[in-house]
Amino acid sequence: LSGWVLREGLPALSPKEEPDPRESPAAQQQRLESGCGDIIVVPMHFHDGNVGTLAATNLPSGRSFTQQDLELMMALANQSIIAVDNARLVDSLRQSEEKFSHAFRASPDAMIINTLDDGRFIDANDSFLDIVGYERDEVMGHTISELDIWPHPDKRDAFLSRVAAQGAAHNLEVAFRRKSGEIGVTLLSAEVVELDGQRCLLTIAKDMTERIQAAQERELLIQELDAFARTVAHDLKSPLSPILGYADLLLSDSGTLSDEARRSFVQIIADSAKRMGNIINELLLLARMRQGEVQARPLNMASIVDDALSRLDYMIKEYGAQVVVADAWPPALGYSAWVAEVWVNYVSNALKYGGRPPRIELGADVLPDRTPRFWVRDNGEGLSPEQQAQLFTPFTQFRAIHVEGHGLGLSIVRRIVEKLSGEVGVESAPGQGSLFYFTLPPVPPGDERPNSHPEAV
């Protein structure tokens, strides 16, 4: 009988007194042997389909079922299926809450729940606490304004008003303040939700600080490289012209030039070739810098300094400079080719901007924490505090005069030294010359043997 009810979707009332054609003979015999009386079977509808039946029987000695009993069974079936559906919904809701709770806790992005009226924290995941630097008990129960997470209250209030009015806001770039006071940037998405009958604000925040800083660093480096490329293109023309000019003179000479003139022309060609070689070395250095990290090794600083001065020999002679070099150097870790370029840049700047004639000292000392510090001191005009503040930044030029020369520029030198875990700086005063320095990591005890630095040659 249940099969017929399911198939037809109709209720069935089968009295005990007469055979029911909807039942098979076997089912009728089983019914007689079991002592059942009347039977009512009603379908249980769920949405557009039947999911089961609800059946009732009485004893043969009992009263017969009536149409009113059938209607009561139909009502009971409807209530039963509603109860089953509610149970399913409750179970589904519980599972959804468990999934949300797990996603909330495990999310790599910051997630917080605040009351909509006053912005009080109801919950926050660990990612949020890590980003802002607060402990959980410092956050829960407090408002956003009390924690001073949002450095611009007017923008905070405008954001909250917008979310409250529109119900949501997505992908807004917003500044935030960590507990340490450091300012960062986050990408916010927020939506109004209802929790336990209260309107709340669910916010997801992605910390964009490092990504934005990296993008700014890349843009700055591109600008520096563009400026350097323009300088290199100009500087390459300068030594190339005398090479071609004097080479033509030597080739066209019919014996009228003296030996002294020939030697002078060859020396000019050699000096110009050295200038071009320095520019090419710096271009190769920039290419290697962009390829990634290098392995720092103990340095043979005396040999590196000799190489740098040899590359600048033509400038030293041109300016008639006196160069004084220290007798000993403290052990340090670094990459020889990069350190050589730092020396070339510092010394070439000292030659260009030093006294007339320049007097340059190259030396080193060791700071109290064992950090070796290397420096170049000149006898130039010195720098004011305002000028020193602009050093090691892109596109800085201190004098209106144009002195021929190339050089990586102090901003890229700073990048080199910082990539070697060191620092750059200057000590100067007007009329007292300048001392440009850079530090490098010290060599661990027992590992002072320097490398041969073939890459610096």
Side-chain angles (χ1 to χ4, degrees):
L1 197 59
S2 292
W4 182 89
V5 170
L6 277 175
R7 185 171 60 253
E8 299 296 330
L10 299 173
L13 171 56
S14 178
K16 63 180 180 295
E17 293 86 0
E18 55 189 55
D20 193 326
R22 296 170 294 189
E23 290 185 310
S24 67
Q28 292 180 9
Q29 182 64 32
Q30 185 179 8
R31 176 177 172 179
L32 292 173
E33 293 176 354
S34 63
C36 289
D38 298 340
I39 296 178
I40 292 178
V41 181
V42 295
M44 300 180 72
H45 293 283
F46 185 72
H47 298 303
D48 296 330
N50 298 320
V51 296
T53 61
L54 185 64
T57 65
N58 64 2
L59 297 174
S61 58
R63 70 173 181 83
S64 298
F65 284 145
T66 64
Q67 186 65 28
Q68 186 178 4
D69 295 325
L70 180 64
E71 293 174 357
L72 181 62
M73 284 291 291
M74 289 288 293
L76 182 59
N78 290 336
Q79 292 298 319
S80 297
I81 198 63
I82 290 174
V84 171
D85 190 27
N86 287 339
R88 289 179 177 177
L89 289 175
V90 169
D91 185 62
S92 176
L93 180 60
R94 179 185 58 80
Q95 293 179 10
S96 297
E97 289 177 347
E98 290 177 353
K99 291 179 181 178
F100 172 77
S101 177
H102 178 74
F104 185 88
R105 301 298 172 196
S107 172
D109 295 331
M111 297 183 70
I112 55 176
I113 300 176
N114 302 85
T115 56
L116 192 59
D117 54 355
D118 59 2
R120 195 168 301 278
F121 282 88
I122 297 176
D123 204 351
N125 67 355
D126 290 340
S127 297
F128 172 78
L129 299 175
D130 291 340
I131 289 175
V132 298
Y134 284 89
E135 299 294 334
R136 182 169 297 277
D137 56 1
E138 294 178 306
V139 172
M140 293 299 102
H142 296 278
T143 65
I144 297 177
S145 58
E146 288 175 345
L147 295 181
D148 198 25
I149 293 175
W150 211 310
H152 306 293
D154 53 338
K155 294 184 178 181
R156 175 197 65 209
D157 296 339
F159 171 77
L160 295 176
S161 299
R162 176 179 175 181
V163 176
Q166 300 180 1
H170 299 288
N171 298 328
L172 298 179
E173 195 172 286
V174 175
F176 72 96
R177 180 184 287 113
R178 294 184 172 92
K179 183 180 179 181
S180 62
E182 180 185 0
I183 300 296
V185 180
T186 183
L187 196 64
L188 286 185
S189 291
E191 188 167 339
V192 177
V193 297
E194 187 168 323
L195 295 177
D196 298 329
Q198 183 180 19
R199 295 183 74 206
C200 299
L201 187 65
L202 172 62
T203 304
I204 301 176
K206 182 183 291 292
D207 189 358
M208 304 292 290
T209 308
E210 292 185 2
R211 185 177 302 179
I212 291 176
Q213 289 175 346
Q216 292 173 342
E217 286 286 327
R218 285 194 298 270
E219 179 63 26
L220 186 60
L221 180 58
I222 290 173
Q223 293 176 4
E224 292 174 357
L225 294 178
D226 287 344
F228 178 67
R230 289 191 295 269
T231 303
V232 166
H234 176 269
D235 286 351
L236 280 174
K237 292 180 180 179
S238 181
L240 186 59
S241 296
I243 288 176
L244 295 175
Y246 287 106
D248 286 341
L249 284 175
L250 291 172
L251 289 173
S252 61
D253 175 39
S254 58
T256 59
L257 291 175
S258 65
D259 291 342
E260 183 179 354
R262 290 193 187 94
R263 283 194 296 270
S264 176
F265 292 168
V266 171
Q267 185 63 51
I268 292 173
I269 292 173
D271 290 345
S272 298
K274 283 184 178 181
R275 297 187 185 191
M276 295 183 68
N278 283 341
I279 297 172
I280 292 171
N281 283 338
E282 292 181 349
L283 289 173
L284 293 174
L285 171 66
L286 289 179
R288 297 192 68 176
M289 277 185 64
R290 301 186 70 180
Q291 290 176 357
E293 301 297 326
V294 295
Q295 183 177 0
R297 296 190 178 101
L299 298 172
N300 186 338
M301 192 61 76
S303 180
I304 294 173
V305 171
D306 286 344
D307 288 338
L309 294 178
S310 175
R311 287 169 53 185
L312 295 173
D313 180 63
Y314 69 94
M315 285 187 69
I316 295 173
K317 292 178 180 177
E318 179 181 346
Y319 286 96
Q322 178 186 3
V323 180
V324 180
V325 181
D327 295 329
W329 301 96
L333 292 176
Y335 183 62
S336 300
W338 293 7
V339 175
E341 293 299 335
V342 175
W343 282 114
V344 167
N345 186 85
Y346 275 2
V347 174
S348 63
N349 281 342
L351 290 168
K352 289 183 287 186
Y353 302 117
R356 291 295 177 266
R359 186 182 189 280
I360 302 171
E361 297 180 51
L362 281 65
D365 47 44
V366 179
L367 302 180
D369 61 355
R370 293 186 58 250
T371 298
R373 188 182 75 148
F374 305 91
W375 45 261
V376 174
R377 178 184 284 113
D378 64 50
N379 62 337
E381 299 175 6
L383 300 170
S384 67
E386 293 76 15
Q387 290 174 324
Q388 295 179 46
Q390 299 177 51
L391 282 173
F392 304 103
T393 58
F395 321 124
T396 299
Q397 186 174 7
F398 294 106
R399 295 171 175 84
I401 60 172
H402 296 284
V403 182
E404 181 185 1
H406 51 285
L408 285 172
L410 294 179
S411 62
I412 298 182
V413 166
R414 174 179 58 82
R415 293 181 182 276
I416 291 175
V417 175
E418 288 179 353
K419 215 166 185 184
L420 295 173
S421 301
E423 297 179 352
V424 296
V426 63
E427 297 174 358
S428 183
Q432 299 182 22
S434 301
L435 182 146
F436 285 82
Y437 67 85
F438 66 96
T439 66
L440 292 172
V443 176
D447 192 22
E448 282 84 4
R449 185 174 62 86
N451 64 340
S452 58
H453 78 289
E455 67 273 18
V457 180

